[in-house]
Coordinates of all heavy atoms in Angstrom, one line a residue:
S270 N -0.9 -17.5 -16.4 CA 0.3 -17.7 -15.5 C 0.8 -19.1 -15.5 O 0.0 -20.0 -15.9 CB -0.1 -17.3 -14.0 OG -0.5 -16.0 -13.9
D271 N 2.1 -19.3 -15.2 CA 2.6 -20.6 -15.1 C 2.0 -21.4 -14.0 O 1.8 -20.9 -12.9 CB 4.1 -20.5 -14.8 CG 4.9 -21.8 -14.9 OD1 4.7 -22.6 -13.9 OD2 5.6 -22.0 -15.8
A272 N 1.5 -22.6 -14.3 CA 0.8 -23.4 -13.3 C 1.6 -23.7 -12.1 O 1.0 -23.9 -11.0 CB 0.3 -24.7 -14.0
E273 N 2.9 -23.8 -12.2 CA 3.8 -24.2 -11.0 C 4.2 -23.0 -10.2 O 4.1 -23.1 -8.9 CB 5.0 -24.9 -11.6 CG 4.7 -26.3 -12.2 CD 5.9 -27.0 -12.7 OE1 7.0 -26.5 -12.5 OE2 5.8 -28.1 -13.2
N274 N 4.6 -21.9 -10.8 CA 5.1 -20.8 -9.9 C 4.1 -19.6 -10.0 O 4.4 -18.6 -9.3 CB 6.5 -20.4 -10.4 CG 6.6 -20.0 -11.8 OD1 5.6 -19.6 -12.4 ND2 7.7 -20.3 -12.4
E275 N 3.0 -19.6 -10.7 CA 2.1 -18.6 -10.8 C 2.6 -17.3 -11.4 O 2.1 -16.2 -11.2 CB 1.4 -18.3 -9.5 CG 0.6 -19.5 -9.0 CD -0.1 -19.3 -7.7 OE1 0.1 -18.2 -7.1 OE2 -0.9 -20.1 -7.3
I276 N 3.7 -17.3 -12.1 CA 4.3 -16.1 -12.7 C 3.7 -15.9 -14.1 O 3.5 -16.9 -14.9 CB 5.8 -16.3 -12.9 CG1 6.5 -16.4 -11.5 CG2 6.4 -15.1 -13.7 CD1 8.0 -16.7 -11.6
P277 N 3.2 -14.7 -14.4 CA 2.5 -14.5 -15.7 C 3.5 -14.8 -16.9 O 4.7 -14.6 -16.8 CB 2.2 -13.0 -15.7 CG 2.1 -12.7 -14.2 CD 3.1 -13.5 -13.5
V278 N 2.9 -15.3 -17.9 CA 3.7 -15.8 -19.1 C 3.6 -14.8 -20.2 O 2.6 -14.4 -20.6 CB 3.2 -17.2 -19.5 CG1 4.0 -17.7 -20.7 CG2 3.2 -18.1 -18.4
N279 N 4.8 -14.4 -20.8 CA 4.8 -13.6 -22.0 C 4.4 -14.4 -23.2 O 4.8 -15.5 -23.4 CB 6.3 -13.1 -22.2 CG 6.7 -12.0 -21.3 OD1 6.1 -10.9 -21.4 ND2 7.6 -12.2 -20.4
G280 N 3.6 -13.7 -24.1 CA 3.3 -14.3 -25.4 C 2.6 -15.7 -25.3 O 2.8 -16.5 -26.2
A281 N 1.8 -15.9 -24.3 CA 1.0 -17.2 -24.2 C -0.1 -17.2 -25.3 O -0.7 -16.2 -25.5 CB 0.4 -17.3 -22.8
T282 N -0.3 -18.3 -25.9 CA -1.4 -18.5 -26.9 C -2.4 -19.4 -26.3 O -2.1 -20.5 -25.8 CB -0.8 -19.0 -28.2 OG1 0.1 -18.1 -28.8 CG2 -2.0 -19.2 -29.2
I283 N -3.7 -18.9 -26.4 CA -4.8 -19.7 -25.9 C -5.8 -19.9 -27.0 O -6.0 -19.0 -27.8 CB -5.4 -19.1 -24.6 CG1 -6.5 -20.0 -24.0 CG2 -5.9 -17.7 -24.9 CD1 -7.0 -19.6 -22.7
T284 N -6.5 -21.0 -27.0 CA -7.5 -21.3 -28.0 C -8.8 -21.6 -27.3 O -8.8 -22.5 -26.4 CB -7.2 -22.4 -28.9 OG1 -5.9 -22.1 -29.6 CG2 -8.2 -22.7 -29.9
I285 N -9.9 -20.9 -27.6 CA -11.2 -21.1 -27.0 C -12.2 -21.1 -28.2 O -12.2 -20.2 -29.0 CB -11.6 -20.0 -26.0 CG1 -10.6 -19.9 -24.9 CG2 -13.0 -20.2 -25.5 CD1 -10.8 -18.8 -23.9
A286 N -13.0 -22.1 -28.2 CA -14.1 -22.3 -29.2 C -13.5 -22.0 -30.6 O -14.2 -21.4 -31.5 CB -15.2 -21.2 -28.9
G287 N -12.3 -22.5 -30.9 CA -11.8 -22.4 -32.2 C -11.1 -21.1 -32.6 O -10.6 -21.0 -33.7
E288 N -11.1 -20.2 -31.6 CA -10.4 -18.9 -31.8 C -9.1 -18.8 -31.0 O -9.2 -19.2 -29.8 CB -11.3 -17.7 -31.5 CG -12.6 -17.7 -32.3 CD -12.4 -17.2 -33.7 OE1 -11.3 -16.7 -34.0 OE2 -13.4 -17.3 -34.5
S289 N -8.1 -18.3 -31.6 CA -6.8 -18.2 -30.9 C -6.4 -16.8 -30.6 O -6.7 -15.9 -31.4 CB -5.6 -18.9 -31.7 OG -5.9 -20.3 -31.8
Y290 N -5.7 -16.6 -29.5 CA -5.3 -15.2 -29.1 C -3.9 -15.4 -28.4 O -3.7 -16.3 -27.6 CB -6.3 -14.6 -28.1 CG -6.1 -13.2 -27.8 CD1 -6.7 -12.2 -28.6 CD2 -5.4 -12.7 -26.7 CE1 -6.5 -10.9 -28.4 CE2 -5.2 -11.4 -26.5 CZ -5.7 -10.4 -27.3 OH -5.6 -9.1 -27.1

Side-chain angles (χ1 to χ4, degrees):
S270 300
D271 187 286
E273 295 183 358
N274 56 29
E275 299 185 352
I276 296 174
V278 180
N279 283 293
T282 298
I283 185 170
T284 299
I285 300 177
E288 300 285 350
S289 294
Y290 191 89

